[in-house]
Amino acid sequence: MSSTEPSSTVHFPNLTSATPGEEFEVRQTATSDDFTPDPSKSIPLSKARQELVDDIIALYSCEPTIKRVERYTPDCVYDDQFVYANDRYKMAGQWFALEKLFNDSKCERYQIIKNDRDVIQFLNEQTWTFKIIPTSMTINAIVTLSLDPDSIDSDFIRVKYHKDQANDKDYSHEGVGFSFKKFQADNVAKWMSQPEVEHFKKDADAGKNKVKTYGSGTGEAPKGEYRNDPQKQG
């Protein structure tokens, strides 16, 4: 049986839980945008790490709860094609808003491809069914979870930086597209009246650093192989 112990690789050796989430970003450029998971090649995880991934998958699947959102630190960052949310209040707004946009969201399959000391990475295939337009869309993405140093060895591991990347290039954090990502993340939580979102309002004051910018999607983003090649991406 394969070991569930994480590798000894540490991505953020000089950071602590007091360091704002922006500093925990993993940068990467893929050799291909084919992020199709192969569950048969998935790396096994410990019970605590598997429970973390299960909660993240549940959030993607329009099943948010306060406890699941508490998987993130107050100063967390969530970064994908459409969103840049840099605290847990904004993050809660995003997760609880999904059910207003989609009739259903289903994880078709996923594959753990990296289980390092402070980073978990998996390929995720998610099918989204829209509310207004009766159609579904399936997206394959690479999901990178940078873990909170204080909770790595606990039964309830938390996330400092959550990146969801659906193409081969990383995010530049610049331009009109990024301005939209940040504007909607800054405001969605404010527009919602759900008590579950209001529960996290205090986190709007969490410590933040300036958004890191990179000039392009390949800036400071080493190229690696992310297709069914566990623990070999570099």
Side-chain angles (χ1 to χ4, degrees), residues 7 11-12 19 22 59 72 75 95 124-125 135 137 151-153 158 164-165 182 206 212 232:
S7 79
H11 296 259
F12 310 105
T19 308
E22 288 86 353
L59 287 168
Y72 298 90
D75 61 355
W95 289 127
N124 186 43
E125 184 171 280
T135 187
M137 175 176 61
S151 65
I152 283 176
D153 296 316
R158 300 200 298 172
D164 181 303
Q165 184 177 333
K182 194 164 188 316
K212 292 179 177 290
K232 294 182 181 179

Side-chain angles (χ1 to χ4, degrees), residues 7 42 104 110 132 134-135 140 143 164 203 209 222 227:
S7 79
S42 192
D104 186 48
Y110 70 89
I132 299 176
T135 187
N140 292 322
V143 177
D164 181 303
D203 296 333
N209 280 354
R227 292 178 299 165

Side-chain angles (χ1 to χ4, degrees), residues 13-189:
N14 300 316
L15 303 187
T16 71
S17 289
T19 308
E22 288 86 353
E23 304 305 313
F24 288 82
E25 181 184 7
V26 171
R27 299 282 299 169
Q28 60 212 357
T29 303
T31 56
S32 166
D33 60 3
D34 179 7
F35 296 138
T36 305
D38 182 350
S40 71
K41 297 181 179 179
S42 192
I43 297 171
L45 299 175
S46 67
K47 181 175 182 291
R49 288 180 173 233
Q50 185 61 58
E51 288 174 349
L52 167 64
V53 171
D54 290 346
D55 278 343
I56 299 299
I57 294 293
L59 287 168
Y60 274 110
S61 302
C62 296
E63 299 174 5
T65 64
I66 286 175
K67 185 174 181 181
R68 284 173 176 154
V69 176
E70 286 175 343
R71 282 294 188 176
Y72 298 90
T73 61
D75 61 355
C76 69
V77 173
Y78 179 88
D79 192 7
D80 73 7
Q81 307 95 292
F82 309 108
V83 177
Y84 184 89
N86 60 341
D87 63 52
R88 193 166 58 181
Y89 176 49
K90 297 173 188 176
M91 182 82 267
Q94 296 299 313
W95 289 127
F96 282 97
L98 286 181
E99 58 189 0
K100 301 181 184 301
L101 299 173
F102 300 96
N103 276 326
D104 186 48
S105 176
K106 179 184 178 184
C107 176
E108 304 291 352
R109 50 185 172 165
Y110 70 89
Q111 175 193 349
I112 307 296
I113 60 171
K114 182 175 288 187
N115 181 28
D116 290 342
R117 171 72 179 160
D118 54 357
V119 167
I120 296 172
Q121 199 168 64
F122 62 96
L123 305 179
N124 186 43
E125 184 171 280
Q126 197 81 17
T127 298
W128 305 86
T129 303
F130 296 90
K131 275 187 180 286
I132 299 176
I133 306 171
T135 187
S136 296
M137 175 176 61
T138 299
I139 298 176
N140 292 322
I142 181 169
V143 177
T144 306
L145 306 176
S146 301
L147 309 180
D148 166 43
D150 278 0
S151 65
I152 283 176
D153 296 316
S154 75
D155 293 332
F156 193 80
I157 301 170
R158 300 200 298 172
V159 175
K160 277 284 195 176
Y161 202 112
H162 179 155
K163 180 176 286 185
D164 181 303
Q165 184 177 333
N167 58 58
D168 57 327
K169 292 182 174 58
D170 212 318
Y171 305 117
S172 67
H173 298 159
E174 297 181 21
V176 175
F178 179 74
S179 296
F180 171 77
K181 284 171 52 166
K182 194 164 188 316
F183 173 81
Q184 73 96 349
D186 286 349
N187 288 282
V188 165

